[in-house]
Amino acid sequence: MSFGQGGPQQQWDPWKPNSQQPWSGGGSGESPDWAALADASEARAKRRRLLFMGGGALATVAIGTAVAVAVVSANGSDEASPGTSSQVPGATDFDIPSPTGTAPSFAPTSAPPPLDPKDFIASAKKDKAPLSPDILFPGTQLTMGETVYKKGPTADTGNCASAAKSTLPKVLDDNDCTRLIRVTYTKDGMAVTVGVAVFDTEAQATRAKQQADKKSIVKSLSGGGIKDFCSGAVCRSTTNSYGRYAYFTIAGFTSGKDVTTKDTAVFAGGDDLQEFTFRQIRRRGEAQASAAASE
């Protein structure tokens, strides 16, 4: 069985797949034109290279444009800057501070210095807090460490010399003492009287302390079940000052026995009351300084 070739001869197209090259001279049985076929093949290869290169260039332009848009967007601008879109902005397009630039400076600020508590007890002009025996020596007893002292009678006078003995009255008068507060504490047959002399200035209180000698003593304060003590017996006394206050202690036995260096409880009692008085005067200054700072 043979197949006929009816219909028109198919036209050959070098760019169309499966198209057939016509034989030279029609169906005369001649061989194909190999030179023509080679030229056509070279033309197709060249066309493909041109298409590939053109497509790559378009891709490069597209990527450059995307980078430019991304950079501009990151810089916070809604519109691309003028110029070639494929050009990445240089470093001068960004507001980046130079690493060698001067750091910002700020005016120095500082909190006001804290108020000195001692300033408020150094003079009568600033020391305005209420003052009385019960304010300076509150409660009915005093605990110092493990020792408890029972509070006895108190006294308050504007005639300082009347509450002092021996050389102390003159010292107080010469420095214009305005007030003398006394209180007595007891423990196991031992009694201590504390006398706080008040002056207008710290300088006056300091001079009173310096001028006092071994005979400058405050009068012991008895009463309320406490017998008179240190009237004729040997007792132990102390003198000190802080701010506009000078304070004195006298300690002895309520039995009238003389105090010796072996009586450590008497010495400890005088030291405890002297320390407590200092703390109370200092607390006056701290309380007034705190109140002034909060105003």
Side-chain angles (χ1 to χ4, degrees):
M1 184 176 180
S2 63
F3 295 91
Q5 298 186 6
Q9 185 75 23
Q10 184 180 7
Q11 182 68 32
W12 174 69
D13 185 353
W15 303 107
K16 184 176 181 181
N18 300 323
S19 64
Q20 296 181 355
Q21 168 77 19
W23 301 109
S24 178
S28 61
E30 295 182 4
S31 62
D33 187 352
W34 298 110
L37 291 175
D39 291 341
S41 177
E42 178 63 22
R44 288 197 302 272
K46 186 175 181 180
R47 179 70 178 271
R48 289 171 183 171
R49 285 197 300 270
L50 291 175
L51 289 173
F52 177 78
M53 292 175 62
L58 291 175
T60 301
V61 172
I63 292 174
T65 303
V67 171
V69 172
V71 171
V72 171
S73 178
N75 199 30
S77 176
D78 294 332
E79 297 181 1
S81 59
T84 306
S85 62
S86 62
Q87 192 173 21
V88 179
T92 56
D93 294 330
F94 297 93
D95 189 14
I96 301 177
S98 171
T100 59
T102 304
S105 60
F106 301 93
T109 59
S110 60
L115 299 177
D116 186 355
K118 194 175 180 181
D119 288 346
F120 289 84
I121 54 171
S123 70
K125 292 181 179 179
K126 296 189 71 173
D127 188 11
K128 298 296 185 180
L131 179 64
S132 70
D134 288 334
I135 290 176
L136 202 56
F137 302 98
T140 59
Q141 65 182 30
L142 170 64
T143 301
M144 294 292 288
E146 297 180 354
T147 305
V148 179
Y149 300 94
K150 183 180 178 181
K151 183 180 174 182
T154 62
D156 187 0
T157 180
N159 183 2
C160 298
S162 66
K165 294 172 62 174
S166 189
T167 60
L168 186 56
K170 184 178 185 304
V171 171
L172 298 178
D173 286 344
D174 287 349
N175 290 285
D176 299 322
C177 175
T178 61
R179 188 174 180 182
L180 185 58
I181 296 173
R182 289 181 295 164
V183 61
T184 295
Y185 287 89
T186 61
K187 177 178 169 44
D188 300 334
M190 181 271 299
V192 182
T193 294
V194 182
V196 180
V198 185
F199 300 86
D200 285 339
T201 67
E202 181 178 9
Q204 291 172 324
T206 301
R207 277 198 307 269
K209 182 187 76 171
Q210 294 170 343
Q211 293 171 3
D213 57 25
K214 293 182 179 180
K215 295 181 180 181
S216 300
I217 58 176
V218 67
K219 280 185 179 179
S220 61
L221 182 63
S222 57
I226 300 174
K227 297 179 181 180
D228 185 29
F229 64 100
C230 294
S231 294
V234 176
C235 290
R236 194 248 183 163
S237 64
T238 66
T239 300
N240 217 322
S241 70
Y242 187 72
R244 69 187 188 108
Y245 301 88
Y247 48 101
F248 311 85
T249 68
I250 184 166
F253 294 107
T254 55
S255 64
K257 183 177 71 169
D258 290 342
V259 175
T260 69
T261 55
K262 296 180 181 179
D263 296 316
T264 56
V266 176
F267 281 79
D271 291 344
D272 282 346
L273 266 298
Q274 180 179 233
E275 174 66 19
F276 179 71
T277 303
F278 163 73
R279 293 180 186 179
Q280 289 299 94
I281 296 171
R282 184 179 63 184
R283 285 178 184 137
R284 281 180 60 82
E286 291 172 347
Q288 293 180 88
S290 177
S294 62
E295 290 178 355

